[in-house]
Amino acid sequence: MKLATFARVSGLSTAACTALVLLAGGVAQADQAAGNACAASLTADGKAIYSAVMAAGDSGDLRTIVTDTTKSLAMSGQIDRGNARSNAQAAAQCLEQARS
């Protein structure tokens, strides 16, 4: 839906609708910034999991996405299998912040 059409249907001015769109975008970026800040403290393997999930951009069930991504990275030798679970759990906490 175009912004002008939305403004007309919602009864808001185009300027008000533009402000809402920009505000929403700013919140999303702030959340991602919080997730990125959290990820900075992760181990290299945790960062790999975080980065892979973020790059996928999937908005489905976070637990499933993290589990599938972690398995893929571990099976391909990109992360250590022995610490995969703990790194996935730590990365998931940062991903939750990025998505909130």
Side-chain angles (χ1 to χ4, degrees):
M1 177 182 288
K2 292 186 178 183
L3 189 58
T5 304
F6 179 75
R8 187 176 66 248
V9 170
S10 66
L12 296 172
S13 70
T14 303
C17 289
T18 301
L20 288 173
V21 168
L22 293 175
L23 180 63
V27 170
Q29 288 177 350
D31 293 342
Q32 187 170 353
N36 290 344
C38 173
S41 66
L42 296 173
T43 65
D45 287 353
K47 288 177 185 175
I49 295 166
Y50 178 86
S51 295
V53 172
M54 289 297 287
D58 196 342
S59 62
D61 177 55
L62 185 59
R63 182 182 176 131
T64 301
I65 296 165
V66 171
T67 300
D68 292 347
T69 301
T70 302
K71 283 181 184 178
S72 176
L73 291 170
M75 297 308 251
S76 67
Q78 294 178 330
I79 63 171
D80 178 51
R81 289 183 189 187
N83 296 319
R85 179 183 296 241
S86 61
N87 285 315
Q89 290 170 336
Q93 290 178 350
C94 297
L95 289 159
E96 286 176 0
Q97 290 181 32
R99 285 186 162 194
S100 63

